Amino acid sequence: MEEFKVKFKEQADKLGAEIKTLLQEHGNTVIGETTLAQIYQGMRGMTALVSETSLLDAQDGIRFRRRSIPELREQLPKAKGGTEPLPEALFYLMMIGEIPSEEDVENLSAILQRRSHVPTYVFDTMKALPRDTHPMTQFVVGVMALQAESVFAKRYAAGFSKKEYWEATLEDTLNLIARLPHIAAFVYRRKYKGGKAVQPDGMLDWAANFAHMLGYDNEEFKELMRLYMVIHADHEGGNVSAHATHLVGSALSDPYLSYAAGMNGLAGPLHGLANQEVIKWIFEMQKELNTEAPTAEQIAEYVKKTLGEGKVVPGYGHAVLRQTDPRFTAQMEFGKKHMPDDPLVNTVWRIYETVPGILQSLGKVKNPWPNVDAHSGALLVHYGMEEYEYYTVLFAVSRALGVLSSLCWDRALGMPLERPKSVTTAAVKRWLNKEVENLGD
């Protein structure tokens, strides 16, 4: 653990010095312009945040520390006998900035294993909720109950130096990442499996142990969980879950509170809940068409019907991407390797062959290509996880790796309270009419 801390602090000090120089020499440099449309339409494309762990390119997709999804799958250490990268290795990369050795990953896995115990009161708190409560609500309640364990909150209350914020944040981050699979598995077993828990296996890696506690000991499913946890881990800093975590964290809220805020954002239909909507839409299509394997022609007609009703085709389009999401491609490659004849997976592929052309013909869609959500549900169903309401919880466990590593960097770099300026429409009108020289009321 000390070696990991030392490496992180060395990287943080080095980058902190570089940022200080950048601000001294170029602090007044204008990096872009803001349009009125951006202010009113969700700040799309507005460069206003720094996130060290990943960068999203409209054409190439997400890059973690400058490495693409295919490069991660090739370069990151794997479990013994496995072919998919270990999530712990990606966390190490986001934190330290370099590809870890197998020994580095083994040490990090051991650190997480030693910190994975969840106090009984957390489960008791979750049991107070009705069983039919949405899985994401149960999950976030568990995280909030666990907040009583926060190292940062306790040390801040006792009083400690700003220079030590990063260390307490890292302690909380490792504890939280270690315990999240237990909380998430408890939600699944409670809601769908009669409350019968599966005890953890200390010999397994982080993602494989999560699969085991969910009740899935198929080796392919463990591989899927490793891949799933890697490709969903981060998507630069502007998406809702990452930005919300950063925003709340900027108020010096501890990692538990900050992460919980981000996951409440992830639970929205326009963010993480979309993976639930995709599989639900496919199931509804299969039911209406009375077939598990609709043809391309049937899919095209159903897509047109969906669009004609003023609805969107879930899993298609992205706020930034303008090509097929590399995370979709990674899942498609997994499917072709492990389940090439699965009817549902093949339906996903036929949808992929059909939908982009239809959306392009409308002339209004900037990105007609599939995103990560378009494929993930079909892979899970293949192994028996048909409870699509739960899928966003899987997403949440994975996303912890990215948003919490970013929070550690925020603390280490001394990022300030986030406080952008807002205006009223009346002020905008006055500005446009040149009645005032600025947007102040």
Side-chain angles (χ1 to χ4, degrees):
M1 179 60 191
E2 286 305 314
E3 182 181 357
F4 185 78
K5 281 186 177 181
V6 168
K7 285 185 176 180
F8 174 69
K9 191 62 168 62
E10 287 176 349
Q11 295 293 328
D13 287 345
K14 180 180 177 182
L15 184 58
E18 292 178 4
I19 292 172
K20 184 177 180 180
T21 300
L22 284 173
L23 290 175
Q24 287 175 342
E25 297 179 357
H26 306 286
N28 294 322
T29 300
V30 177
I31 62 171
E33 296 180 348
T34 302
T35 67
L36 195 59
Q38 287 177 309
I39 293 176
Y40 276 101
Q41 297 172 1
M43 298 188 289
R44 294 294 174 91
M46 186 187 299
T47 301
L49 294 169
V50 174
S51 180
E52 303 295 345
T53 53
S54 65
L55 180 67
L56 180 58
D57 182 85
Q59 302 301 322
D60 296 336
I62 188 67
R63 285 184 175 271
F64 297 81
R65 294 292 192 168
R66 301 175 300 282
R67 293 170 175 85
S68 67
I69 293 291
E71 289 171 335
L72 293 181
R73 295 180 77 191
E74 177 185 349
Q75 297 174 15
L76 289 179
K78 282 85 174 168
K80 188 175 182 179
T83 59
E84 298 298 342
L86 287 165
E88 300 97 312
L90 177 61
F91 178 74
Y92 187 103
L93 173 64
M94 289 189 288
M95 288 290 293
I96 307 300
E98 58 189 39
I99 296 290
S101 66
E102 290 186 5
E103 183 180 0
D104 289 329
V105 177
E106 288 175 1
N107 289 338
L108 185 53
S109 292
I111 290 170
L112 295 177
Q113 184 61 247
R114 291 194 295 269
R115 293 166 177 257
S116 62
H117 174 70
V118 178
T120 302
Y121 73 81
V122 174
F123 298 127
D124 290 341
T125 302
M126 298 166 72
K127 287 177 183 177
L129 297 169
R131 282 183 187 268
D132 60 357
T133 302
H134 193 281
M136 277 299 286
T137 304
Q138 296 191 48
F139 176 74
V140 173
V141 166
V143 173
M144 289 298 295
L146 193 59
Q147 188 271 343
E149 305 293 312
S150 173
V151 174
F152 186 93
K154 291 174 182 176
R155 292 184 65 182
Y156 190 88
F160 72 132
S161 170
K162 291 181 179 180
K163 294 180 179 180
E164 299 174 359
Y165 286 177
W166 71 270
E167 189 172 8
T169 300
L170 178 57
E171 291 290 340
D172 276 351
T173 289
L174 291 170
N175 289 337
L176 189 48
I177 289 174
R179 295 166 178 173
L180 287 178
H182 295 249
I183 295 174
F186 179 84
V187 173
Y188 184 75
R189 301 298 300 182
R190 178 175 186 253
K191 185 173 177 67
Y192 303 112
K193 304 299 177 182
K196 186 177 180 181
V198 177
Q199 294 304 308
D201 184 343
M203 301 302 292
L204 296 173
D205 56 86
W206 185 73
N209 195 30
F210 183 25
H212 166 72
M213 289 187 291
L214 288 169
Y216 296 86
D217 280 313
N218 181 297
E219 290 302 317
E220 288 183 10
F221 188 84
K222 292 175 183 176
E223 280 283 270
L224 176 60
M225 279 297 97
R226 293 173 186 131
L227 176 63
Y228 192 105
M229 294 295 126
V230 165
I231 65 176
H232 288 80
D234 206 27
H235 221 225
E236 74 172 29
N239 66 78
V240 171
S241 56
H243 187 192
T245 303
H246 165 80
L247 173 62
V248 174
S250 78
L252 292 187
S253 296
D254 63 64
Y256 294 85
L257 298 175
S258 303
Y259 172 73
M263 295 312 100
N264 281 323
L266 188 75
L270 296 183
H271 193 14
L273 201 70
N275 56 16
Q276 168 184 316
E277 297 301 308
V278 169
I279 204 69
K280 179 181 177 182
W281 180 82
I282 295 176
F283 284 161
E284 290 173 348
M285 176 177 67
Q286 290 176 328
K287 182 177 180 181
E288 184 168 322
L289 298 177
N290 196 30
T291 176
E292 290 186 352
T295 65
E297 291 75 17
Q298 288 176 309
I299 291 172
E301 289 303 313
Y302 191 79
V303 168
K304 292 175 183 176
K305 176 177 177 291
T306 298
L307 296 172
E309 293 173 348
K311 303 175 183 177
V312 299
V313 179
Y316 281 76
H318 192 276
V320 178
L321 288 170
R322 294 297 176 262
Q323 297 287 346
T324 297
D325 192 334
R327 300 172 299 174
F328 176 93
T329 304
Q331 293 179 102
M332 185 165 64
E333 291 173 355
F334 185 95
K336 288 182 176 180
K337 177 180 179 181
H338 295 289
M339 57 197 80
D341 300 320
D342 182 282
L344 182 59
V345 172
N346 275 269
T347 296
V348 168
W349 297 341
R350 278 193 293 274
I351 293 171
Y352 177 37
E353 295 168 356
T354 305
V355 170
I358 295 175
L359 295 179
Q360 283 177 319
S361 69
L362 299 176
K364 302 177 181 179
V365 181
K366 292 182 179 180
N367 176 28
W369 307 105
N371 57 51
V372 65
D373 299 315
H375 207 310
S376 56
L379 300 179
L380 295 167
V381 170
H382 175 81
Y383 295 108
M385 186 179 279
E386 298 184 359
E387 302 90 355
Y388 54 75
E389 273 195 333
Y390 184 78
Y391 293 170
T392 310
V393 177
L394 299 177
F395 198 158
V397 174
S398 171
R399 187 49 60 94
L401 300 173
V403 301
L404 291 174
S405 59
S406 288
L407 191 60
C408 288
W409 274 102
D410 290 345
R411 292 284 196 267
L413 296 174
M415 290 296 187
L417 176 71
E418 184 178 321
R419 180 57 172 90
K421 170 68 175 162
S422 68
V423 296
T424 64
T425 298
V428 169
K429 289 179 178 178
R430 293 197 302 272
W431 174 65
L432 292 175
N433 291 330
K434 298 183 179 179
E435 292 181 8
V436 293
E437 294 182 359
N438 55 55
L439 291 178
D441 275 321

